Structures are given as C-alpha cells and as structure tokens.
C-alpha cells in the first residue's frame, strides 16, 4: 500500500496514479481474464487514451461506452488525464437506466 499525505487527498486522480506508478511500476494494477496490467503499462495506456482526446474542442465532453473491465478503466483515466468530462455508459444497461 502507498500511504498518501492528507494534502494529497485534494490532488487529482491522475496525480495520485503518477505517484503509484513511480513507487510501484511493476506491480499489478488490473487483472482481467487472467491477464495482468502493471501500473507502468496502465499509465502508458491511459496516456494514449488521453492523447486521443487532445484534439477535442474546448468544453467538449465524451461518452465512454464500455462494459465493466480494463478498457473502461483506461478510457476513464485517459479522460481524467486529458481534463475532458466523461460519462461512462454500460452498453448492457437498459435504455431507461442510461437516459435517466
């Protein structure tokens, strides 16, 4: 476990992820279907996701359509790194659940 100082609780999720990556780059961050992704690999994947959002116009938001799993975590963290508001949508959810 990586201890966080009280002041860090006010930081962003990407900033806190960066600290974990620096401390434990080879530790397992996510495991899905027997395949593990290290914190360093997660960081690289989320950087790629963030870069794919770099050309959005100011004030744009994205809908992230993913089921529960690694791809959803990467997409959401990528949006956070890019500073883009994102709405995760589970494609398996009934339409009335998605639309409120």
């Amino acid at each position: 476990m990586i201890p966080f100082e009280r002041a860090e609780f006010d930081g962003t999720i990407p900033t806190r992820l960066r600290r974990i990556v620096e401390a434990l780059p080879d530790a397992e961050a996510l495991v899905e279907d027997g395949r593990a992704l290290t914190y360093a690999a997660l960081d690289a994947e989320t950087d790629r996701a963030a870069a794919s959002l770099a050309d959005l116009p100011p004030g744009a938001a994205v809908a992230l359509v993913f089921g529960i799993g690694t791809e959803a975590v990467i997409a959401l963290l990528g949006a956070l790194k890019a500073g883009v508001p994102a709405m995760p949508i589970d494609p398996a959810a009934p339409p009335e659940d998605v639309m409120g």
Side-chain angles (χ1 to χ4, degrees):
M1 183 158 80
I2 302 293
F4 288 96
E5 298 297 322
R6 179 69 193 143
E8 291 177 287
F9 285 104
D10 296 329
T12 66
I13 291 171
T15 299
R16 292 165 67 185
L17 175 62
R18 168 58 47 203
R19 179 153 182 237
I20 295 169
V21 170
E22 289 171 358
L24 301 167
D26 298 322
E28 291 181 348
L30 299 171
V31 178
E32 182 177 34
D33 296 328
R35 191 182 83 126
L37 193 65
T38 66
Y39 280 104
L42 175 63
D43 190 47
E45 290 289 329
T46 58
D47 283 346
R48 279 191 279 282
S52 72
L53 301 173
D55 292 333
L56 290 175
V62 296
L64 304 174
V65 182
F66 291 101
I68 297 170
T70 300
E71 287 183 330
V73 172
I74 291 168
L76 188 54
L77 286 172
L80 288 171
K81 282 184 171 186
V84 175
M87 168 62 90
I89 299 173
D90 183 349
E96 60 272 9
D97 289 349
V98 174
M99 300 307 288

